Amino acid sequence: MLKVIGILLIAAAILWKEVPPLLEKKDKKELVVFSILLTIGVGLSMALGLGKPIPNPLDFLTFVFKPIHDVFVR
Amino acid sequence: MNKCLFAILILSLFLTGCWDRRELNELAIMLAMGVEKVEEEYQVFAQVVVPSEVSMKGSTGSTKVTLYSAKGETVYEAFRKMTKDSPRKIYPGHLKILVMGEELAKEGIGESLDLLSRDWEIRPDFYVVVTKDTSPSEILNTTTNLESIPANKMFNSLQMSEKAWSGTKSITLDELIADLISDGKQAVITGVQLIGNSKIGSSKKNVEMVSPAASIQYDHLSVFKGDKLVGWLTEEETIAYSYVTDSVKTSVRRISCPEGGDATIAIEKSHSDVKGYIRKGNPEVDITIKVEGNIGSVECKMDLNDLGTIAELEKIYEKEKIAIINKTIDTLQKKYKTDIFGFGEAIHRANPKEWNKIKDHWEEEFSNVTVNVNVDLKILSTGTVNNSFLEEIKD
Amino acid sequence: MMQNAKISTYQFLILVTLFTIGTSILIVPSGLAAKAKHDAWIVAIVGMVIGLVVIGLFCLIAQWFPHLTFIQMNEMILGKWLGKGVSLLFVFMSFIYASSLLFYSGTFLNTHLLPNTPMASLNILMAIIIVMGVHLGLETIARSAEIFILVFFVLFFFLVLFISPEVKFENVQPIFEAGTKTVIQSTFPFIEVTSVNAIVLLMFFPVNVNNRKQASKSFFIGYIIGGIVIIIFTFLSVSVLGAYSTAAEVFPSYELAKRINIGDFIQRIEALMAGLWIIALYFKTTIYFYASVLGIAQILNLKDYRPLIVPLGMIAAVLSLVIYPNVVYQQNWNQTTGIFLSFSIGVFLPLLLVAVYAIRKKQLKKAPESS
């Protein structure tokens, strides 16, 4: 639980630091991308903090490059 | 804002190393380690310094080191089990010497060495020795004079005897592992013996005597095949080994005078060159040893002012040295069949293609290698005097 | 927006050098010795020479549109959607590598210096200074690189000086036993880490380099300096530790520093030498991270990349703890997938650009003026 609170506090600090300038400049697009990324970041850190399994992007790459690898190595 | 940040940064200095802090008073510094095999289990010994006894103040006069031991199915397990006995965690970072039991060496040392090369705290620059006719516990139990910490005594006397006498050979862990894995070179480890009464040797009484009841001595060189001990070399053979493998720094050697009696040559410099090659499909090795020395003592009558005498002494030395080296090589080729000199590596360096053909049955090939030994001594001086006063003694 | 940052050619040269040394200094000697044994240093030399060709390819591409970053160039040459797709792959790669380098620094510290410290805290600390660096911008990164390169080379000089008595030439003999085939085969991982991945440098080369003509030259020189450092490290590792130990050690160059012992006086200085690895790793990670942040901003046509830094840093720190379950997985992945990923982005993609550019040359020549 402590970890979750810590992550949320950090996220709040980031929001507090980053959002006002974006609102001021009225950069809507930036704000949207920023929010999405921050959500992913917070989500992933919480999953890690709570010991939930996180899908490994490398396994996806291995899947994609496996055929190429097999062609070259053989 | 900046002042605040600065204050936080300064304060954070006090927070360093939260997880990896290790206070000196929580560590037991191990200087010597022993490994032995007892009934399918490893018994590990740790000779640990007692800090209060080593310091000048507050010494109560008890022994400067203490010995912990534990048994376990792996070395690591035994090592950690020691904390059941020791009040502090054993810290191996300053390890100076590792004593392997003879029985363990005969069964193979490979498994027990893995931990030592894998653990992050251990540095691979300590010496490895094998006990002869005794056990690691007896060796590590012996108190010593002059160097009050036995591990330091063992470390220094090995280093010194190698430098001044060449009848021992110091092997560090990384050298040992390199030899163990090499195709063309087998390992050797210096033997260590306990001379005298081991019962008294372990108490403080031992160091209160002028000549201690028990003392630790290096002698003989153990020969390995793979990671198993197969035999011992005599002192003379050990010196020959040192000459061939170019590890002689200084040494002395008795030779017979032309007309009977003895003289001693003090070797100041030695350089050996081992060249391997394949001649007509057969591996051959040339050993060229260049030695420089002085006349150390003369215990016979001869005229040292004569150039001919010097040349004659050089010849006698060379002849005797070649004979000893040949005998040593013969022992290894015939009796132990193990290539401790690194002839295989020499052939590998010279002719990698041929080597790849013979390396799988190198053990048999080694026994048939023709070795040509060539020793060249240069006597540079006769010490502080010319002719011996023995010349003038009338009898 | 970010095109305003300007770094000098000298600063660019330093960044190239640090990028080339980066991870290679830790892992290359071990990987090379595993295959080529005592000829590992020859492989490094051959690899560096081949790497020069790859660098040449990058310089060729860069000079077509000197005012565009690699992402913008992809769009210009391959068209909007294909370009964006390819760029996404490129950004993905550099982001993965940024987190994998975080993993490297974490494992390195964890194995040798701080074994009881949780890797998460090590990675987060490293991620924080990387985020700070990228937030301050390319100019600041380049200036700090200028200072740290001095520290790096002073440490490097002392390391080489102190370890040289331990060199045993028997360990590298017989020279060139491995044969041409093995040498060529084992160069690929070397080329991958040193030169192929340098494609991420196209994110600020030559756009942000003040003297564009000189920049190509410093790309080459920087690469050669970095390559020589790695060749020296490989040679020292093999000649001091022997081919077997070099291959068996996870971080052979650190083991090298452990062996330093000058007269029982100058010894146990490996913790100081760890500064070398940390400096090189830091700058390489920062460049990867900078490239991925800037890349995402440009793909989405954002005005400023700065808001993305902190959230992405957070994701990178988490990924660095997840992507490699252990060191063995990492080594295995690098050999089977990582190398193909790098080569398809760093060699195949530039060659594709060259081919398309040759076909669309006339059409493209007009485009920059109209846009």
Side-chain angles (χ1 to χ4, degrees), chain C residues 269-293:
Chain C
I269 53 172
E270 66 267 13
L272 198 67
M273 290 299 169
L276 274 176
W277 292 270
I278 299 299
I279 291 172
L281 267 177
Y282 172 74
F283 282 102
K284 191 161 187 174
T285 322
T286 310
I287 291 170
Y288 273 134
F289 190 64
Y290 174 81
S292 45
V293 173

PDB file of all heavy atoms in Angstrom, chain C residues 269-293:
ATOM      1  N   ILE C 269      41.569  -0.566  -6.466  1.00  0.00           N
ATOM      2  CA  ILE C 269      41.040   0.724  -6.886  1.00  0.00           C
ATOM      3  C   ILE C 269      39.908   0.550  -7.878  1.00  0.00           C
ATOM      4  O   ILE C 269      39.543   1.478  -8.575  1.00  0.00           O
ATOM      5  CB  ILE C 269      42.135   1.618  -7.506  1.00  0.00           C
ATOM      6  CG1 ILE C 269      42.864   0.865  -8.614  1.00  0.00           C
ATOM      7  CG2 ILE C 269      43.098   2.079  -6.459  1.00  0.00           C
ATOM      8  CD1 ILE C 269      43.813   1.755  -9.389  1.00  0.00           C
ATOM      9  N   GLU C 270      39.352  -0.664  -7.943  1.00  0.00           N
ATOM     10  CA  GLU C 270      38.346  -0.905  -8.980  1.00  0.00           C
ATOM     11  C   GLU C 270      37.094  -0.061  -8.793  1.00  0.00           C
ATOM     12  O   GLU C 270      36.441   0.314  -9.752  1.00  0.00           O
ATOM     13  CB  GLU C 270      37.993  -2.392  -9.061  1.00  0.00           C
ATOM     14  CG  GLU C 270      37.299  -2.971  -7.845  1.00  0.00           C
ATOM     15  CD  GLU C 270      38.285  -3.580  -6.876  1.00  0.00           C
ATOM     16  OE1 GLU C 270      39.498  -3.329  -7.027  1.00  0.00           O
ATOM     17  OE2 GLU C 270      37.850  -4.291  -5.962  1.00  0.00           O
ATOM     18  N   ALA C 271      36.782   0.270  -7.517  1.00  0.00           N
ATOM     19  CA  ALA C 271      35.576   1.068  -7.290  1.00  0.00           C
ATOM     20  C   ALA C 271      35.730   2.455  -7.925  1.00  0.00           C
ATOM     21  O   ALA C 271      34.780   3.017  -8.464  1.00  0.00           O
ATOM     22  CB  ALA C 271      35.295   1.198  -5.807  1.00  0.00           C
ATOM     23  N   LEU C 272      36.956   2.957  -7.885  1.00  0.00           N
ATOM     24  CA  LEU C 272      37.241   4.243  -8.523  1.00  0.00           C
ATOM     25  C   LEU C 272      37.079   4.119 -10.040  1.00  0.00           C
ATOM     26  O   LEU C 272      36.508   4.962 -10.707  1.00  0.00           O
ATOM     27  CB  LEU C 272      38.677   4.639  -8.177  1.00  0.00           C
ATOM     28  CG  LEU C 272      39.071   6.079  -8.363  1.00  0.00           C
ATOM     29  CD1 LEU C 272      38.320   6.943  -7.387  1.00  0.00           C
ATOM     30  CD2 LEU C 272      40.562   6.235  -8.153  1.00  0.00           C
ATOM     31  N   MET C 273      37.585   2.986 -10.547  1.00  0.00           N
ATOM     32  CA  MET C 273      37.546   2.768 -11.988  1.00  0.00           C
ATOM     33  C   MET C 273      36.116   2.571 -12.485  1.00  0.00           C
ATOM     34  O   MET C 273      35.842   2.734 -13.661  1.00  0.00           O
ATOM     35  CB  MET C 273      38.382   1.545 -12.350  1.00  0.00           C
ATOM     36  CG  MET C 273      39.859   1.769 -12.167  1.00  0.00           C
ATOM     37  SD  MET C 273      40.430   3.091 -13.230  1.00  0.00           S
ATOM     38  CE  MET C 273      42.065   3.361 -12.577  1.00  0.00           C
ATOM     39  N   ALA C 274      35.229   2.202 -11.566  1.00  0.00           N
ATOM     40  CA  ALA C 274      33.838   2.009 -11.974  1.00  0.00           C
ATOM     41  C   ALA C 274      33.278   3.305 -12.549  1.00  0.00           C
ATOM     42  O   ALA C 274      32.329   3.280 -13.326  1.00  0.00           O
ATOM     43  CB  ALA C 274      32.997   1.539 -10.801  1.00  0.00           C
ATOM     44  N   GLY C 275      33.877   4.433 -12.175  1.00  0.00           N
ATOM     45  CA  GLY C 275      33.499   5.717 -12.744  1.00  0.00           C
ATOM     46  C   GLY C 275      33.513   5.701 -14.266  1.00  0.00           C
ATOM     47  O   GLY C 275      32.641   6.268 -14.921  1.00  0.00           O
ATOM     48  N   LEU C 276      34.489   5.006 -14.835  1.00  0.00           N
ATOM     49  CA  LEU C 276      34.596   4.870 -16.288  1.00  0.00           C
ATOM     50  C   LEU C 276      33.304   4.345 -16.897  1.00  0.00           C
ATOM     51  O   LEU C 276      32.766   4.901 -17.842  1.00  0.00           O
ATOM     52  CB  LEU C 276      35.671   3.839 -16.608  1.00  0.00           C
ATOM     53  CG  LEU C 276      37.124   4.244 -16.703  1.00  0.00           C
ATOM     54  CD1 LEU C 276      37.947   3.000 -16.938  1.00  0.00           C
ATOM     55  CD2 LEU C 276      37.287   5.178 -17.874  1.00  0.00           C
ATOM     56  N   TRP C 277      32.841   3.238 -16.321  1.00  0.00           N
ATOM     57  CA  TRP C 277      31.676   2.568 -16.895  1.00  0.00           C
ATOM     58  C   TRP C 277      30.424   3.409 -16.698  1.00  0.00           C
ATOM     59  O   TRP C 277      29.581   3.487 -17.567  1.00  0.00           O
ATOM     60  CB  TRP C 277      31.505   1.192 -16.255  1.00  0.00           C
ATOM     61  CG  TRP C 277      32.590   0.261 -16.627  1.00  0.00           C
ATOM     62  CD1 TRP C 277      32.601  -0.587 -17.693  1.00  0.00           C
ATOM     63  CD2 TRP C 277      33.854   0.107 -15.981  1.00  0.00           C
ATOM     64  NE1 TRP C 277      33.783  -1.261 -17.731  1.00  0.00           N
ATOM     65  CE2 TRP C 277      34.571  -0.872 -16.696  1.00  0.00           C
ATOM     66  CE3 TRP C 277      34.454   0.685 -14.860  1.00  0.00           C
ATOM     67  CZ2 TRP C 277      35.847  -1.272 -16.336  1.00  0.00           C
ATOM     68  CZ3 TRP C 277      35.724   0.273 -14.504  1.00  0.00           C
ATOM     69  CH2 TRP C 277      36.406  -0.684 -15.234  1.00  0.00           C
ATOM     70  N   ILE C 278      30.330   4.015 -15.508  1.00  0.00           N
ATOM     71  CA  ILE C 278      29.130   4.787 -15.213  1.00  0.00           C
ATOM     72  C   ILE C 278      29.043   5.998 -16.142  1.00  0.00           C
ATOM     73  O   ILE C 278      27.979   6.308 -16.688  1.00  0.00           O
ATOM     74  CB  ILE C 278      29.130   5.229 -13.734  1.00  0.00           C
ATOM     75  CG1 ILE C 278      29.145   4.002 -12.818  1.00  0.00           C
ATOM     76  CG2 ILE C 278      27.919   6.086 -13.423  1.00  0.00           C
ATOM     77  CD1 ILE C 278      27.954   3.095 -12.961  1.00  0.00           C
ATOM     78  N   ILE C 279      30.173   6.673 -16.375  1.00  0.00           N
ATOM     79  CA  ILE C 279      30.157   7.836 -17.266  1.00  0.00           C
ATOM     80  C   ILE C 279      29.706   7.426 -18.663  1.00  0.00           C
ATOM     81  O   ILE C 279      28.787   7.996 -19.246  1.00  0.00           O
ATOM     82  CB  ILE C 279      31.551   8.495 -17.326  1.00  0.00           C
ATOM     83  CG1 ILE C 279      31.876   9.157 -15.992  1.00  0.00           C
ATOM     84  CG2 ILE C 279      31.624   9.530 -18.452  1.00  0.00           C
ATOM     85  CD1 ILE C 279      33.297   9.657 -15.888  1.00  0.00           C
ATOM     86  N   ALA C 280      30.353   6.392 -19.191  1.00  0.00           N
ATOM     87  CA  ALA C 280      30.036   5.976 -20.554  1.00  0.00           C
ATOM     88  C   ALA C 280      28.592   5.511 -20.667  1.00  0.00           C
ATOM     89  O   ALA C 280      27.875   5.864 -21.608  1.00  0.00           O
ATOM     90  CB  ALA C 280      30.991   4.879 -21.001  1.00  0.00           C
ATOM     91  N   LEU C 281      28.152   4.718 -19.669  1.00  0.00           N
ATOM     92  CA  LEU C 281      26.776   4.222 -19.704  1.00  0.00           C
ATOM     93  C   LEU C 281      25.784   5.373 -19.630  1.00  0.00           C
ATOM     94  O   LEU C 281      24.781   5.386 -20.337  1.00  0.00           O
ATOM     95  CB  LEU C 281      26.533   3.284 -18.515  1.00  0.00           C
ATOM     96  CG  LEU C 281      26.744   1.813 -18.743  1.00  0.00           C
ATOM     97  CD1 LEU C 281      26.537   1.052 -17.449  1.00  0.00           C
ATOM     98  CD2 LEU C 281      25.787   1.279 -19.789  1.00  0.00           C
ATOM     99  N   TYR C 282      26.085   6.356 -18.773  1.00  0.00           N
ATOM    100  CA  TYR C 282      25.149   7.457 -18.600  1.00  0.00           C
ATOM    101  C   TYR C 282      24.901   8.185 -19.914  1.00  0.00           C
ATOM    102  O   TYR C 282      23.760   8.420 -20.305  1.00  0.00           O
ATOM    103  CB  TYR C 282      25.655   8.447 -17.541  1.00  0.00           C
ATOM    104  CG  TYR C 282      24.803   9.690 -17.480  1.00  0.00           C
ATOM    105  CD1 TYR C 282      23.542   9.641 -16.905  1.00  0.00           C
ATOM    106  CD2 TYR C 282      25.231  10.881 -18.053  1.00  0.00           C
ATOM    107  CE1 TYR C 282      22.729  10.758 -16.885  1.00  0.00           C
ATOM    108  CE2 TYR C 282      24.424  12.008 -18.039  1.00  0.00           C
ATOM    109  CZ  TYR C 282      23.173  11.937 -17.454  1.00  0.00           C
ATOM    110  OH  TYR C 282      22.359  13.035 -17.451  1.00  0.00           O
ATOM    111  N   PHE C 283      25.980   8.525 -20.608  1.00  0.00           N
ATOM    112  CA  PHE C 283      25.781   9.314 -21.826  1.00  0.00           C
ATOM    113  C   PHE C 283      25.107   8.502 -22.920  1.00  0.00           C
ATOM    114  O   PHE C 283      24.283   9.030 -23.664  1.00  0.00           O
ATOM    115  CB  PHE C 283      27.104   9.919 -22.300  1.00  0.00           C
ATOM    116  CG  PHE C 283      27.464  11.119 -21.476  1.00  0.00           C
ATOM    117  CD1 PHE C 283      28.410  11.041 -20.474  1.00  0.00           C
ATOM    118  CD2 PHE C 283      26.798  12.322 -21.663  1.00  0.00           C
ATOM    119  CE1 PHE C 283      28.713  12.135 -19.691  1.00  0.00           C
ATOM    120  CE2 PHE C 283      27.086  13.422 -20.883  1.00  0.00           C
ATOM    121  CZ  PHE C 283      28.046  13.330 -19.894  1.00  0.00           C
ATOM    122  N   LYS C 284      25.439   7.239 -23.012  1.00  0.00           N
ATOM    123  CA  LYS C 284      24.776   6.438 -24.040  1.00  0.00           C
ATOM    124  C   LYS C 284      23.275   6.328 -23.750  1.00  0.00           C
ATOM    125  O   LYS C 284      22.444   6.498 -24.647  1.00  0.00           O
ATOM    126  CB  LYS C 284      25.398   5.040 -24.113  1.00  0.00           C
ATOM    127  CG  LYS C 284      24.923   4.270 -25.335  1.00  0.00           C
ATOM    128  CD  LYS C 284      25.832   3.118 -25.672  1.00  0.00           C
ATOM    129  CE  LYS C 284      25.396   2.498 -26.987  1.00  0.00           C
ATOM    130  NZ  LYS C 284      26.291   1.467 -27.472  1.00  0.00           N
ATOM    131  N   THR C 285      22.943   6.073 -22.483  1.00  0.00           N
ATOM    132  CA  THR C 285      21.526   5.976 -22.126  1.00  0.00           C
ATOM    133  C   THR C 285      20.812   7.296 -22.401  1.00  0.00           C
ATOM    134  O   THR C 285      19.697   7.317 -22.931  1.00  0.00           O
ATOM    135  CB  THR C 285      21.363   5.626 -20.635  1.00  0.00           C
ATOM    136  OG1 THR C 285      22.375   4.703 -20.277  1.00  0.00           O
ATOM    137  CG2 THR C 285      20.016   5.033 -20.362  1.00  0.00           C
ATOM    138  N   THR C 286      21.459   8.399 -22.035  1.00  0.00           N
ATOM    139  CA  THR C 286      20.839   9.708 -22.254  1.00  0.00           C
ATOM    140  C   THR C 286      20.563   9.945 -23.730  1.00  0.00           C
ATOM    141  O   THR C 286      19.512  10.454 -24.092  1.00  0.00           O
ATOM    142  CB  THR C 286      21.748  10.819 -21.693  1.00  0.00           C
ATOM    143  OG1 THR C 286      22.099  10.473 -20.369  1.00  0.00           O
ATOM    144  CG2 THR C 286      21.049  12.149 -21.700  1.00  0.00           C
ATOM    145  N   ILE C 287      21.518   9.563 -24.580  1.00  0.00           N
ATOM    146  CA  ILE C 287      21.312   9.782 -26.011  1.00  0.00           C
ATOM    147  C   ILE C 287      20.147   8.932 -26.516  1.00  0.00           C
ATOM    148  O   ILE C 287      19.288   9.411 -27.257  1.00  0.00           O
ATOM    149  CB  ILE C 287      22.605   9.485 -26.792  1.00  0.00           C
ATOM    150  CG1 ILE C 287      23.647  10.547 -26.465  1.00  0.00           C
ATOM    151  CG2 ILE C 287      22.338   9.461 -28.295  1.00  0.00           C
ATOM    152  CD1 ILE C 287      25.025  10.239 -26.968  1.00  0.00           C
ATOM    153  N   TYR C 288      20.094   7.680 -26.109  1.00  0.00           N
ATOM    154  CA  TYR C 288      18.965   6.829 -26.497  1.00  0.00           C
ATOM    155  C   TYR C 288      17.646   7.448 -26.032  1.00  0.00           C
ATOM    156  O   TYR C 288      16.671   7.510 -26.778  1.00  0.00           O
ATOM    157  CB  TYR C 288      19.083   5.443 -25.850  1.00  0.00           C
ATOM    158  CG  TYR C 288      19.898   4.449 -26.614  1.00  0.00           C
ATOM    159  CD1 TYR C 288      20.844   3.659 -25.976  1.00  0.00           C
ATOM    160  CD2 TYR C 288      19.698   4.243 -27.978  1.00  0.00           C
ATOM    161  CE1 TYR C 288      21.590   2.727 -26.660  1.00  0.00           C
ATOM    162  CE2 TYR C 288      20.442   3.311 -28.670  1.00  0.00           C
ATOM    163  CZ  TYR C 288      21.391   2.559 -28.000  1.00  0.00           C
ATOM    164  OH  TYR C 288      22.115   1.635 -28.679  1.00  0.00           O
ATOM    165  N   PHE C 289      17.659   7.889 -24.796  1.00  0.00           N
ATOM    166  CA  PHE C 289      16.422   8.417 -24.225  1.00  0.00           C
ATOM    167  C   PHE C 289      16.015   9.705 -24.931  1.00  0.00           C
ATOM    168  O   PHE C 289      14.851   9.905 -25.272  1.00  0.00           O
ATOM    169  CB  PHE C 289      16.612   8.652 -22.722  1.00  0.00           C
ATOM    170  CG  PHE C 289      15.339   8.956 -21.997  1.00  0.00           C
ATOM    171  CD1 PHE C 289      14.331   8.019 -21.923  1.00  0.00           C
ATOM    172  CD2 PHE C 289      15.148  10.185 -21.398  1.00  0.00           C
ATOM    173  CE1 PHE C 289      13.146   8.297 -21.264  1.00  0.00           C
ATOM    174  CE2 PHE C 289      13.959  10.478 -20.742  1.00  0.00           C
ATOM    175  CZ  PHE C 289      12.958   9.537 -20.684  1.00  0.00           C
ATOM    176  N   TYR C 290      16.992  10.570 -25.176  1.00  0.00           N
ATOM    177  CA  TYR C 290      16.728  11.815 -25.888  1.00  0.00           C
ATOM    178  C   TYR C 290      16.128  11.505 -27.256  1.00  0.00           C
ATOM    179  O   TYR C 290      15.122  12.106 -27.669  1.00  0.00           O
ATOM    180  CB  TYR C 290      18.029  12.609 -26.032  1.00  0.00           C
ATOM    181  CG  TYR C 290      17.915  13.852 -26.865  1.00  0.00           C
ATOM    182  CD1 TYR C 290      17.407  15.027 -26.333  1.00  0.00           C
ATOM    183  CD2 TYR C 290      18.314  13.860 -28.202  1.00  0.00           C
ATOM    184  CE1 TYR C 290      17.295  16.170 -27.087  1.00  0.00           C
ATOM    185  CE2 TYR C 290      18.206  14.991 -28.975  1.00  0.00           C
ATOM    186  CZ  TYR C 290      17.691  16.152 -28.414  1.00  0.00           C
ATOM    187  OH  TYR C 290      17.576  17.275 -29.167  1.00  0.00           O
ATOM    188  N   ALA C 291      16.729  10.551 -27.955  1.00  0.00           N
ATOM    189  CA  ALA C 291      16.242  10.211 -29.292  1.00  0.00           C
ATOM    190  C   ALA C 291      14.807   9.706 -29.240  1.00  0.00           C
ATOM    191  O   ALA C 291      13.991  10.073 -30.084  1.00  0.00           O
ATOM    192  CB  ALA C 291      17.143   9.154 -29.923  1.00  0.00           C
ATOM    193  N   SER C 292      14.485   8.891 -28.224  1.00  0.00           N
ATOM    194  CA  SER C 292      13.124   8.347 -28.211  1.00  0.00           C
ATOM    195  C   SER C 292      12.100   9.417 -27.831  1.00  0.00           C
ATOM    196  O   SER C 292      11.019   9.465 -28.414  1.00  0.00           O
ATOM    197  CB  SER C 292      13.027   7.124 -27.304  1.00  0.00           C
ATOM    198  OG  SER C 292      13.679   7.353 -26.099  1.00  0.00           O
ATOM    199  N   VAL C 293      12.464  10.290 -26.882  1.00  0.00           N
ATOM    200  CA  VAL C 293      11.520  11.343 -26.491  1.00  0.00           C
ATOM    201  C   VAL C 293      11.278  12.296 -27.657  1.00  0.00           C
ATOM    202  O   VAL C 293      10.134  12.588 -28.033  1.00  0.00           O
ATOM    203  CB  VAL C 293      12.053  12.120 -25.266  1.00  0.00           C
ATOM    204  CG1 VAL C 293      11.160  13.308 -24.981  1.00  0.00           C
ATOM    205  CG2 VAL C 293      12.142  11.223 -24.066  1.00  0.00           C
TER     206      VAL C 293
END
